Amino acid sequence: ISHTWFLSIIQNEFRTGKIDLDSTMNLLEKLQISFDFTHVKHVFKKTVDKRKAHTINIEDFRAIYRTIVHRPEFHELFRAYSPNCKILADTELIEFLRKEQYETEACETTALEIILKYEPIEEVRKRRQMSFEGFIRYMSSEDCSIFKNDHRTIYQDMNHPLCDYFISSSHNTYLISDQLIGPSHLWGYTSALLKGCRCLEIDCWDGSNNEPVVYHGHTLTSKIPFRSVIQVIDKYAFVASDYPVVLSLENHCSPKQQEVMADYLESILGDKLLTSTIGDTVVTQLPSPEALKFKILVKNKKVGTTEEGMLRRDLDSHGETGEISEFENMSDEDETNEKAPLYPKSDSSKRKSEHRPSHPPRKKAKIKKIKIAIALSDLVIYTKSEKFVSFEHSLANQKCYENNSIGEIRARKFVTHSAKEFVSHTSRFITRIYPKGTRTNSSNYNPQEFWNVGCQMVALNFQTPGVQMELQNGKFLDNGGCGYILKPEFLRNHSSTFTPHNVGRYGKPMSLSIRVISGHQLPPSNLSKTNKADPLVQIEIYGVPEDQAKKKSSVIKSNALSPRWDETLSFTVQVPELALIRFCVEDEISLVTNEFLGQYTLPLLSLSKG
């Protein structure tokens, strides 16, 4: 039957006897097969080179189709469940789903849905059966993706307070290359929002003609109007996700231009902008992502409390400014230093409190006064930026709608020396981590170490590819890619004693075994003139320190089309809720260097069995 079906689809193309490479590609598309141009071209070339021609006949095409499509590993599996090796009856398909795919609930309906969706041969489909052609299409489909199907949609409880979630966050969102002379560009905002990012950073400075501009201050990065940034955010904020977007303002503007910013935020964003509390004026708990759907929140310093701001709601506060006092240089890096990597201050006083990071400031600390336009201040409702002093200070004084930004160096010291206090802090308050100012090339730190202690906004340079962004993208595939992921219970509970270095009773050991079977149409090596590579697979676990692990398969020589490993790699994971798994395929170039071919990262608990 499958032979007749195959011929009925392709014979029309061979009316004139032979077809070229382009027609071969079109025909494969018609057969609904995913293929890689380089590999098909190579197999085609091999076929025609024997005869020194540029075209192939119908038999050649069938051979090419089999080489690309009929993978032996699929055939072995198919034969194990099909008594006659030609057809799977619905009952045999159910047995396959239960035994191999761990779909314990699989029944006649499940099997029929799969047959109707993937069986290309009408005659077989009508008999409620599946041919090898249908089986191949099913095995290569999204339904057999390693990523759990029900994690592709929002499945977590979205009614917890905002601080109970990991929130996808970007640093210096306006930059699209480096931090010193690179371009600032609106595309930075568009692409971050389309990737599901929910916390954007906007660096605002006074511009000419009373128009605030966005750029990386004290550097030669180009400038974009604040107005344009807000227009782009208005357009793309809720394309990838319905859940709230936080605008983290790094504000260097005079009160006069801060008023202009407030006007733009209100006039451009309209109803999307959150300008008042939801329900109660007195804020005792942060609202949930669900309650803030389709809302844009402003994160900035604020004069006084949210309640006081609410009382002023209907008054015109243009021209009014307030003043905030805060201790200057409380650590060797803070928000103000973050932006000025080019002018290191020679002030030695700022190193004083460094060796005791969780101490309140000494009396000598200079107090700095900051002027803020009331019009802008009153737009800050649930995300008031508050300078971080110490964990004790926050516990005693900080309100639930006040949040801190802590630089990566200082935050790393806390992870090492006061992880328990850090976890207790992030269970109560939104905490943002940002890269150190010396990362002028926009490199990133490993976000995992800060997720491990419950930091909600671990801000990365989205424009810089690499393992760090791969971990970020992998983590936020979860929960429908909506940019909010509910933290594990032990990072939400105020009385938790969890620390990443000593998981104790919070460990839920899980044994994981992965059989690396084969690869298919991998990218060829950069060194190869044909379609060859020497691929190996590396599996990495990222999580709490004791879960960090790496294991490698053997190397398959000169085969990128269909390398076959059949090796099993096993891991034990103590805290699966925080673990990510990364599959990385590399090409062994020499005994000491490998070239990256591709990777896929996902949360361990989003891994589908089977």
Side-chain angles (χ1 to χ4, degrees):
I1 287 180
S2 62
H3 184 59
T4 325
W5 163 80
F6 189 70
L7 284 178
S8 73
I9 289 183
I10 67 168
Q11 59 195 7
N12 208 10
E13 303 294 321
F14 288 94
R15 284 187 316 273
T16 54
K18 296 193 171 181
I19 63 168
D20 61 6
L21 179 59
D22 280 348
S23 306
T24 303
M25 299 287 180
N26 294 338
L27 207 41
L28 286 172
E29 261 173 26
K30 195 172 166 187
L31 286 155
Q32 293 176 319
I33 285 302
S34 52
F35 60 85
D36 176 85
F37 178 79
T38 319
H39 285 291
V40 175
K41 182 175 148 189
H42 182 75
V43 177
F44 183 91
K45 206 167 165 325
K46 242 166 108 175
T47 313
V48 295
D49 279 357
K50 290 180 202 149
R51 293 194 301 268
K52 306 226 179 326
H54 294 292
T55 53
I56 56 166
N57 63 28
I58 200 157
E59 275 312 305
D60 297 330
F61 179 79
R62 196 166 165 214
I64 290 173
Y65 180 81
R66 284 191 160 161
T67 306
I68 298 283
V69 179
H70 287 197
R71 300 165 60 176
E73 60 273 38
F74 283 171
H75 216 222
E76 288 156 29
L77 206 48
F78 185 75
R79 284 210 308 266
Y81 288 89
S82 163
N84 66 0
C85 300
K86 290 197 173 75
I87 278 300
L88 279 180
D90 53 1
T91 48
E92 288 144 14
L93 179 56
I94 292 168
E95 192 194 358
F96 165 79
L97 292 171
R98 286 183 180 165
K99 279 192 184 162
E100 302 287 341
Q101 305 295 55
Y102 297 89
E103 290 189 27
T104 44
E105 309 288 293
C107 61
E108 203 180 350
T109 322
T110 329
L112 282 180
E113 279 175 5
I114 290 174
I115 289 169
L116 290 173
K117 193 167 170 187
Y118 296 107
E119 178 51 57
I121 306 172
E122 193 182 353
E123 222 173 310
V124 179
R125 203 167 51 231
K126 279 186 176 152
R127 290 204 300 257
R128 301 185 162 197
Q129 294 172 332
M130 186 172 243
S131 68
F132 183 48
E133 291 293 341
F135 186 71
I136 293 168
R137 283 159 178 75
Y138 167 62
M139 290 300 291
S140 317
S141 73
E142 282 281 274
D143 284 347
C144 286
S145 160
I146 195 164
F147 191 85
K148 267 189 190 164
N149 240 336
D150 46 356
H151 286 199
R152 291 173 190 275
T153 50
I154 293 158
Y155 66 96
Q156 296 177 345
D157 182 355
M158 300 305 281
N159 293 298
H160 287 258
L162 278 182
C163 58
D164 281 0
Y165 297 84
F166 292 118
I167 302 170
S168 175
S169 304
S170 139
H171 172 250
N172 287 358
T173 319
Y174 48 89
L175 293 182
I176 52 171
S177 67
D178 67 73
Q179 311 266 317
L180 299 184
I181 53 177
S184 305
H185 205 287
L186 292 168
W187 174 246
Y189 289 95
T190 310
S191 71
L193 285 167
L194 293 177
K195 282 181 190 158
C197 180
R198 299 288 87 187
C199 176
L200 308 171
E201 187 178 19
I202 311 180
D203 250 29
C204 315
W205 298 79
D206 279 357
S208 49
N209 306 327
N210 207 24
E211 286 282 343
V213 289
V214 173
Y215 81 113
H216 196 6
H218 304 305
T219 65
L220 301 175
T221 58
S222 57
K223 301 174 183 182
I224 37 182
F226 178 77
R227 183 191 64 238
S228 309
V229 170
I230 303 305
Q231 283 165 341
V232 163
I233 292 169
D234 176 60
K235 188 172 173 186
Y236 292 101
F238 302 110
V239 173
S241 165
D242 300 350
Y243 289 105
V245 170
V246 177
L247 305 184
S248 185
L249 302 184
E250 172 80 18
N251 203 334
H252 304 273
C253 291
S254 60
K256 190 178 174 207
Q257 294 208 12
Q258 288 178 32
E259 284 196 353
V260 177
M261 287 167 60
D263 284 343
Y264 282 142
L265 287 164
E266 293 198 76
S267 62
I268 295 167
L269 300 176
D271 289 346
K272 295 190 188 98
L273 184 69
L274 187 79
T275 55
S276 64
T277 53
I278 301 176
D280 250 350
T281 309
V282 182
V283 184
T284 50
Q285 189 189 24
L286 285 173
S288 68
E290 193 59 44
L292 292 168
K293 260 183 160 174
F294 301 113
K295 288 293 179 196
I296 295 175
L297 283 64
V298 175
K299 176 166 125 34
N300 192 62
K301 294 190 167 67
K302 180 177 176 69
V303 180
T305 65
T306 292
E307 292 81 13
E308 290 163 4
M310 289 299 292
L311 295 174
R312 270 193 297 268
R313 271 203 72 193
D314 303 319
L315 306 171
D316 180 19
S317 49
H318 274 69
E320 288 182 47
T321 58
E323 208 168 49
I324 297 171
S325 303
E326 56 181 42
F327 295 104
E328 206 171 359
N329 293 341
M330 300 234 334
S331 80
D332 58 339
E333 35 136 42
D334 55 27
E335 282 285 6
T336 44
N337 289 16
E338 171 193 7
K339 299 302 171 184
L342 300 185
Y343 296 104
K345 294 201 182 84
S346 54
D347 176 11
S348 57
S349 69
K350 66 180 185 186
R351 301 235 173 262
K352 280 192 182 154
S353 56
E354 193 177 306
H355 57 285
R356 302 174 69 183
S358 58
H359 244 53
R362 310 264 159 73
K363 289 286 176 282
K364 281 184 207 144
K366 277 210 319 253
I367 286 184
K368 172 170 99 177
K369 290 192 155 65
I370 300 162
K371 279 195 161 41
I372 293 195
I374 296 293
L376 183 61
S377 170
D378 284 351
L379 294 181
V380 177
I381 312 292
Y382 294 121
T383 41
K384 174 183 178 183
S385 305
E386 194 59 43
K387 189 140 195 151
F388 180 73
V389 180
S390 69
F391 293 135
E392 297 85 3
H393 182 269
S394 289
L395 204 51
N397 304 291
Q398 199 160 320
K399 297 186 171 67
C400 68
Y401 58 81
E402 295 179 326
N403 48 62
N404 313 110
S405 283
I406 304 175
E408 67 168 292
I409 297 173
R410 194 177 182 197
R412 200 167 285 120
K413 287 177 190 160
F414 292 150
V415 172
T416 312
H417 303 298
S418 22
K420 209 159 117 195
E421 293 82 353
F422 208 162
V423 169
S424 158
H425 180 83
T426 61
S427 74
R428 292 169 170 82
F429 310 111
I430 292 179
T431 306
R432 176 177 170 269
I433 309 295
Y434 58 86
K436 58 188 179 191
T438 47
R439 292 183 181 274
T440 48
N441 58 350
S442 295
S443 62
N444 280 314
Y445 52 82
N446 178 353
Q448 186 69 45
E449 53 182 328
F450 303 117
W451 289 329
N452 285 345
V453 290
C455 296
Q456 293 83 348
M457 297 178 166
V458 179
L460 294 178
N461 293 305
F462 269 52
Q463 73 275 28
T464 310
V467 177
Q468 299 84 357
M469 267 315 287
E470 286 158 10
L471 296 177
Q472 157 79 22
N473 293 336
K475 184 172 187 69
F476 286 98
L477 282 175
D478 200 0
N479 204 25
C482 74
Y484 284 83
I485 291 168
L486 189 62
K487 299 200 285 184
E489 204 277 332
F490 54 78
L491 291 176
R492 307 192 309 254
N493 186 336
H494 291 351
S495 49
S496 170
T497 56
F498 170 84
T499 71
H501 298 280
N502 179 13
V503 302
R505 62 190 175 89
Y506 297 100
K508 294 183 193 157
M510 173 181 179
S511 65
L512 171 70
S513 132
I514 292 182
R515 186 157 153 249
V516 180
I517 302 170
S518 63
H520 190 52
Q521 305 188 65
L522 303 178
S525 165
N526 276 344
L527 303 176
S528 165
K529 296 259 186 295
T530 60
N531 68 333
K532 298 276 198 286
D534 298 346
L536 67 121
V537 180
Q538 179 163 286
I539 298 180
E540 303 159 1
I541 306 283
Y542 291 83
V544 299
E546 67 177 302
D547 286 339
Q548 294 283 351
K550 252 180 210 189
K551 293 190 174 175
K552 277 183 181 178
S553 74
S554 56
V555 176
I556 304 293
K557 287 289 178 197
S558 74
N559 187 346
L561 175 63
S562 52
R564 184 83 186 255
W565 288 277
D566 284 319
E567 293 169 32
T568 300
L569 305 178
S570 301
F571 302 87
T572 303
V573 181
Q574 297 300 322
V575 188
E577 300 100 314
L578 286 173
L580 296 172
I581 179 163
R582 179 173 185 263
F583 296 85
C584 184
V585 182
E586 296 179 336
D587 173 32
E588 187 183 67
I589 290 177
S590 70
L591 290 173
V592 284
T593 55
N594 293 341
E595 185 200 351
F596 172 83
L597 291 180
Q599 70 85 39
Y600 183 66
T601 304
L602 72 164
L604 182 64
L605 294 180
S606 298
L607 207 58
S608 223
K609 278 170 141 184

